[in-house]
Amino acid sequence: MNAVLFGPPGSGKGTQARAVCERFAMAHVSTGDLLREAVADQTDLGRQAQAIMAAGKLVPDDLVGGIVRERIARETIANERRSACGGNERGILFDGYPRNLEQARFLDACLQDFGTRIDAAAVLEIAEEELVKRICGRRLCSNDPCGGSYNIYSMPPREEGKCDRCGSDLIRRKDDNEETLRERLAVYSGQTAPILGYYEEKDLLIRVAANGSVSDVRGSLLSGIAAKCGV
Ligand code: AP5
């Protein structure tokens, strides 16, 4: 089973993705995370993406499509190995991909090449005013493998500026400021929101109210996906 998780910046995609992957045994493919890794490693892709991401714009479709196709290919091989050993296959949760209609069509074509498809597309819906607090309050652990994520308003760390899990310093993402957020929101409403109609037409869309607590949103999201996919 494969699914898409999308929504405006700060709507909670990253926060909820882990629970979805655990519940439905899926691999997590976040294009934002993959691009940030490429920037940190200063690969060719990272060098091309860096300024675009810092400005809150979309990285060109062909660059992002390349990493998505590569991840699908890698998961397909891993599934073949699991099947050969009598294990269960694992689907993919695409977090933050697709982000426009071209990417949505590319994803469908790509999955078709590998003999699979999207089974559900969940959108996290929330008012813009709430997103400013979420984005400007977000703090991340500077020790990348730790993955600690906090919010100074809704999920503060025990000690200010320090990760609860590993004690490393907390940092802000370069694009987490009000000015870049405004651009990211404009990109979302202009380019990403039209994919709602794309998935609605295919009867794959699940609308999830994302303004509640993390556990309330998780409950609605998990039950929405389960109902849509009949699992
Ligand atoms: P990406 O990393 O995907 O960023 P985004 O879409 O802007 O989303 P965020 O990661 O900011 O937020 P989120 O929805 O995951 O929220 P989170 O759970 O962290 O993309 C970054 C950039 O990469 C893009 O701008 C673009 O340049 C590029 N890019 C990525 N994909 C691309 C693609 N497909 N094509 C082209 N370019 C691409 O939560 C946010 C905060 O809120 C946290 O502090 C969290 O603790 C808090 N929070 C979460 N849920 C709740 C809740 N229910 N109540 C209270 N607080 C909450």
Side-chain angles (χ1 to χ4, degrees), residues 9-230:
S11 55
K13 301 182 292 294
T15 302
Q16 301 296 343
R18 277 188 208 170
V20 175
C21 290
E22 264 174 39
R23 164 72 176 77
F24 301 106
M26 297 165 105
H28 181 204
V29 173
S30 154
T31 44
D33 287 349
L34 292 171
L35 289 166
R36 275 185 292 280
E37 264 171 48
V39 171
D41 295 344
Q42 283 295 290
T43 62
D44 276 355
L45 168 66
R47 283 193 292 273
Q48 291 177 75
Q50 190 162 15
I52 303 170
M53 293 173 76
K57 298 188 186 305
L58 290 187
V59 174
D61 292 344
D62 56 333
L63 296 181
V64 188
I67 50 174
V68 167
R69 193 177 175 90
E70 191 265 321
R71 288 304 300 256
I72 296 171
R74 211 196 290 177
E75 282 302 318
T76 305
I77 293 168
N79 276 335
E80 284 165 3
R81 291 201 183 118
R82 282 187 201 103
S83 286
C85 302
N88 290 327
E89 293 194 2
R90 199 165 76 143
I92 301 177
L93 178 70
F94 296 93
D95 161 1
Y97 189 91
R99 264 174 144 96
N100 59 32
L101 284 171
E102 289 69 30
Q103 292 186 5
R105 293 188 192 107
F106 176 84
L107 180 61
D108 281 348
C110 205
L111 288 170
Q112 196 177 3
D113 289 346
F114 288 96
T116 183
R117 64 189 159 83
I118 291 296
D119 301 289
V123 58
L124 300 179
E125 298 185 306
I126 184 166
E128 276 192 25
E129 313 85 76
E130 183 63 24
L131 298 175
V132 179
K133 254 166 78 187
R134 288 201 185 177
I135 288 292
C136 298
R138 174 166 48 191
R139 299 291 181 274
L140 300 168
C141 180
S142 54
N143 169 25
D144 232 17
C146 166
S149 175
Y150 304 86
N151 191 287
I152 56 170
Y153 304 110
S154 57
M155 273 176 259
R158 284 193 295 272
E159 185 186 344
E160 197 185 321
K162 297 283 176 200
C163 178
D164 290 353
R165 296 194 206 170
C166 72
S168 300
D169 289 342
L170 298 182
I171 51 170
R172 287 182 77 170
R173 242 168 68 175
K174 286 210 168 62
D175 55 349
D176 278 354
N177 56 71
E178 257 190 270
E179 195 193 336
T180 310
L181 174 61
R182 270 195 292 277
E183 178 61 28
R184 288 158 70 194
L185 288 170
V187 166
Y188 182 80
S189 53
Q191 299 185 50
T192 308
I195 69 173
L196 250 98
Y198 180 84
Y199 288 117
E200 201 157 35
E201 261 178 32
K202 293 174 183 283
D203 194 25
L204 296 175
L205 190 70
I206 303 158
R207 291 176 183 269
V208 178
N211 52 338
S213 68
V214 170
S215 63
D216 284 351
V217 177
R218 181 171 58 231
S220 311
L221 178 60
L222 295 181
S223 58
I225 295 177
K228 181 63 77 182
C229 299

